[in-house]
Amino acid sequence: DYQAFYKYKEHNFVYDKLWVVQSQGLLGGELNSLTKKNNENIEFPIFIKPRWGHETATSKNCFKIKCWDDLNEYKHIPDMMWSEFIDAKEQMTDFILLDGQIVHQITYVYSDTQNEFIDDWKYISPDNKPLPKIIDWVNRHMVGFTGIVNVQYRDDKIIEVSLRFARGGAYVLSTKNEYLI
């Protein structure tokens, strides 16, 4: 993601996961500024994770937090953020854009079973489609962009965006579809 972050400077704002949360009107903020005194109306569970997508990999330092006391264990980690917890199955779409227009999409259907954070399989088909709200977000925020936009979401709420294919293109290569590759 570092390469994409520096290559696409006009659109690298998508690597700010807090911005992604706020762009959808979801609750979220910097973890180090979250206190019970200032945020008594927050409903638990919440989700905490590293704020900058181009500086992290895998699910390191991503946690579901069930109560205020659980936060103390993680407040020392720099550049962490919190957001509302989205209790839904994760989904993902790779969009191919040309000057801000979606010209193709690959939506991955995840298996119902997982081995910790890894799915047993993902299904790729031209019949798989992203939710309209996800498409609307891409159209609204990726104006003028040419390249790949990987969007990860739970239900119709985006949790992470990257300017590259999912898993560096490994899923696309695994299709063995020479036209797609």
Side-chain angles (χ1 to χ4, degrees):
D1 282 309
Y2 267 107
Q3 289 177 326
F5 181 84
Y6 291 107
K7 181 176 181 176
Y8 301 113
K9 292 180 181 176
E10 291 182 19
H11 292 89
N12 67 8
F13 55 85
V14 300
Y15 285 101
D16 182 349
K17 297 177 201 176
L18 180 55
W19 178 86
V20 170
V21 163
Q22 293 171 340
S23 74
Q24 301 169 84
L26 302 175
L27 297 176
E30 295 179 2
L31 184 59
N32 62 7
S33 66
L34 185 61
T35 62
K36 187 175 186 178
K37 183 178 181 181
N38 297 337
N39 297 285
E40 293 176 356
N41 296 333
I42 289 181
E43 292 185 31
F44 285 89
I46 61 172
F47 198 74
I48 64 170
K49 60 186 173 182
R51 178 175 177 176
W52 303 101
H54 67 291
E55 295 179 353
T56 59
T58 66
S59 296
K60 183 179 180 184
N61 291 329
C62 295
F63 303 101
K64 179 180 177 182
I65 303 296
K66 297 178 183 175
C67 66
W68 283 107
D69 292 338
D70 292 349
L71 286 173
N72 295 330
E73 186 176 343
Y74 307 103
K75 287 237 178 174
H76 71 281
I77 303 172
D79 294 323
M80 292 286 285
M81 60 158 287
W82 70 274
S83 66
E84 57 188 82
F85 180 75
I86 305 162
D87 190 14
K89 184 177 173 182
E90 188 168 327
Q91 301 173 78
M92 178 171 52
T93 299
D94 284 331
F95 292 94
I96 302 172
L97 277 69
L98 179 61
D99 195 27
Q101 301 297 310
I102 298 170
V103 295
H104 189 71
Q105 63 82 25
I106 305 166
T107 297
Y108 305 88
V109 173
Y110 288 46
S111 63
D112 288 331
T113 54
Q114 289 187 324
N115 182 5
E116 293 191 32
F117 289 103
I118 306 298
D119 305 294
D120 288 339
W121 51 262
K122 288 183 177 59
Y123 177 67
I124 302 171
S125 167
D127 296 329
N128 299 346
K129 304 291 182 205
L131 298 166
K133 192 170 178 182
I134 304 303
I135 294 169
D136 291 344
W137 187 94
V138 171
N139 287 332
R140 189 170 54 256
H141 295 290
M142 300 309 296
V143 174
F145 181 75
T146 295
I148 308 302
V149 179
N150 173 262
V151 181
Q152 297 174 47
Y153 45 99
R154 290 181 178 269
D155 195 21
D156 63 354
K157 295 169 179 70
I158 297 170
I159 58 172
E160 193 166 333
V161 180
S162 302
L163 303 177
R164 50 125 177 102
F165 273 119
R167 300 279 189 243
Y171 296 135
V172 174
L173 290 173
S174 72
T175 67
K176 298 182 180 156
N177 179 330
E178 64 185 75
Y179 300 106
L180 183 58
I181 294 168

